[in-house]
Amino acid sequence: MSEVENNGDFIRWLGPDLSIKILSHLEDPRDLGRVSAVSGSWHQFVVENGLSKQLCLKHFPELSTASNVIEVDNMIEPIRFVPGNPMTLDCLKRNHKVYAFLACGLERNMRENCISEAIVASSTDNYPVESIQNTMEPRDRTELDASYWSSKGKSDPSVPETLIYKLISKICVVEEIHVQPFQAYFHNGNPIYSAKSVRFRMGYLKQPKQLKSNRIAKRALRGQDFVWTYTSPEFPMAQENRLQKFKLPEPVFCVGDMLLVELLGRVQKCLIDQLYYICIAHVQVKGRSLCSGFSAKIQQSGRCFLKYSPEADSYFRSPGEVTMPFTELSNASSRLRYVRARLR
């Protein structure tokens, strides 16, 4: 760099401490991407000082709890650590790409429901009238009839049930899961068929399968078809006709688009047949998902590809001008940029 060019480089002129303080005031991750695209030295400065991670955690502090998923130890390519220098440049570059993706790709506003589809239940008493599809309806009554899912009746109150849902994206940050038991207003005494307790699992399918069979829901707990990357504590459920909010101990960085709701134990016996049932009116997931233009794909091996599609967003100003240094893994004509990460 010439003396004239060097005089115009405020990072060199101000020094690292003051430059970091100035750049840490940036709010839009795209602006930080533009800074790193100015020159090779500016890009190296952003990477080595972890500015993408700082900006990401400023907007999404809950992602600090997910660092074990996206930091070095769980990346797809093994990192060669140098003695006395545990944070290598390759490691810093990889962290920079992942945190830059998350800072731009995750929605800022909380969604009231991150569920896109009700998949299957472990049992259904009267299909399709009492199908799991009814739990997507926020109300427990429609203009036509009651809206709820019902299990089959069991003489043993300890028999559990499971409900499987699909989330709206393969990467979400989930904070709360809400479940409303159903009150059978058409039965004597208006009984509420809740479960004793509830537990949640999130993850992904090992390989594409037909999910509409109730055998899938029964096999899910044994891990035969799914990889569960998160399992919640067990929450007690009240026998009350209301939307019960189960706040997770900390926001969960969910990798995978499958949600399993475990309904553990039965409390209400039907006076008609003297069997125990569980009935649920509504399930919803409160959290953040990926924005338009951002997506993820999980392979059978557990490899996760974070994708950005510039034609679905204005992130890239032109095909040849990259404002955030994502790695290009496709051919020159492709408009997809990928960042690879490994799940364990």
Side-chain angles (χ1 to χ4, degrees):
M1 180 179 288
S2 68
E3 183 177 350
V4 173
E5 292 173 324
N6 189 36
N7 288 337
D9 187 343
F10 82 83
I11 288 181
R12 288 174 178 252
W13 182 66
L14 295 175
D17 293 341
L18 189 54
S19 297
I20 290 173
K21 187 171 183 178
I22 292 173
L23 294 177
S24 65
H25 283 80
L26 292 175
E27 292 293 329
D28 190 339
R30 290 168 173 78
D31 288 338
L32 188 59
R34 296 182 183 104
V35 168
S36 66
V38 168
S39 67
S41 62
W42 283 35
H43 172 65
Q44 184 174 349
F45 184 84
V46 170
V47 170
E48 289 182 347
N49 290 282
L51 297 183
S52 290
K53 179 176 180 178
Q54 292 180 33
L55 179 58
C56 180
L57 296 184
K58 181 165 67 172
H59 291 302
F60 307 107
E62 59 268 30
L63 291 187
S64 62
T65 62
S67 60
N68 62 318
V69 177
I70 55 180
E71 295 242 316
V72 179
D73 289 345
N74 289 329
M75 288 301 160
I76 184 64
E77 295 104 357
I79 297 294
R80 294 181 179 179
F81 291 100
V82 178
N85 184 23
M87 189 63 79
T88 65
L89 183 58
D90 285 343
C91 165
L92 290 168
K93 287 180 178 178
R94 193 171 292 110
N95 280 347
H96 167 71
K97 293 170 185 175
V98 174
Y99 279 108
F101 180 96
L102 294 175
C104 295
L106 282 171
E107 294 175 329
R108 301 292 175 88
N109 298 323
M110 194 79 66
R111 277 182 178 263
E112 287 302 315
N113 198 354
C114 291
I115 295 177
S116 67
E117 183 182 357
I119 303 296
V120 69
S122 52
S123 75
T124 302
D125 188 46
N126 184 16
Y127 186 85
V129 177
E130 297 173 329
S131 164
I132 186 178
Q133 303 300 327
N134 295 332
T135 64
M136 297 293 290
E137 168 61 48
R139 302 168 297 170
D140 61 358
R141 304 187 195 188
T142 64
E143 295 179 358
L144 300 177
D145 208 345
S147 175
Y148 64 98
W149 161 83
S150 174
S151 71
K152 289 186 177 296
K154 298 291 182 180
S155 58
D156 181 0
S158 67
V159 176
E161 296 286 347
T162 56
L163 306 175
I164 295 179
Y165 296 88
K166 186 175 183 180
L167 303 178
I168 56 178
S169 69
K170 286 186 169 62
I171 289 181
C172 293
V173 176
V174 177
E175 295 196 5
E176 296 180 5
I177 301 178
H178 304 166
V179 182
Q180 180 174 345
F182 177 70
Q183 183 171 24
Y185 57 87
F186 42 80
H187 285 181
N188 289 335
N190 299 329
I192 300 173
Y193 292 94
S194 67
K196 285 185 177 180
S197 59
V198 64
R199 184 167 54 215
F200 309 103
R201 299 175 191 256
M202 287 174 270
Y204 58 92
L205 271 171
K206 289 182 179 179
Q207 56 186 0
K209 279 184 177 290
Q210 174 56 253
L211 292 178
K212 296 302 181 181
S213 168
N214 64 354
R215 287 178 296 177
I216 290 290
K218 293 178 179 178
R219 288 157 53 94
L221 292 179
R222 299 195 293 268
Q224 292 176 284
D225 301 299
F226 298 84
V227 174
W228 301 118
T229 58
Y230 174 78
T231 301
S232 78
E234 186 174 329
F235 298 95
M237 179 177 282
Q239 195 175 8
E240 299 174 2
N241 179 27
R242 60 180 175 84
L243 189 63
Q244 300 181 32
K245 300 180 179 182
F246 303 102
K247 186 175 179 64
L248 302 179
E250 57 187 17
V252 175
F253 182 74
C254 174
V255 181
D257 58 354
M258 291 287 114
L259 167 69
L260 178 73
V261 179
E262 298 180 63
L263 301 164
L264 306 171
R266 302 160 188 248
V267 298
Q268 184 63 51
K269 181 185 288 187
C270 177
L271 298 179
I272 299 173
D273 59 9
Q274 297 298 306
L275 297 177
Y276 291 92
Y277 291 81
I278 301 176
C279 300
I280 299 298
H282 184 52
V283 175
Q284 67 184 55
V285 173
K286 189 172 182 179
R288 296 181 176 89
S289 65
L290 292 176
C291 302
S292 174
F294 294 82
S295 62
K297 181 180 180 181
I298 301 174
Q299 293 187 335
Q300 184 178 350
S301 63
R303 183 179 296 178
C304 179
F305 293 85
L306 308 180
K307 303 180 184 179
Y308 172 68
S309 178
E311 64 267 20
D313 187 72
S314 59
Y315 194 67
F316 290 96
R317 288 178 289 189
S318 68
E321 184 179 3
V322 181
T323 60
M324 186 66 76
F326 293 137
T327 302
E328 174 114 16
L329 300 181
S330 53
N331 58 41
S333 62
S334 172
R335 292 178 60 84
L336 292 178
R337 270 73 175 172
Y338 299 80
V339 182
R340 294 189 177 187
R342 175 66 187 268
L343 313 178
R344 288 192 182 218

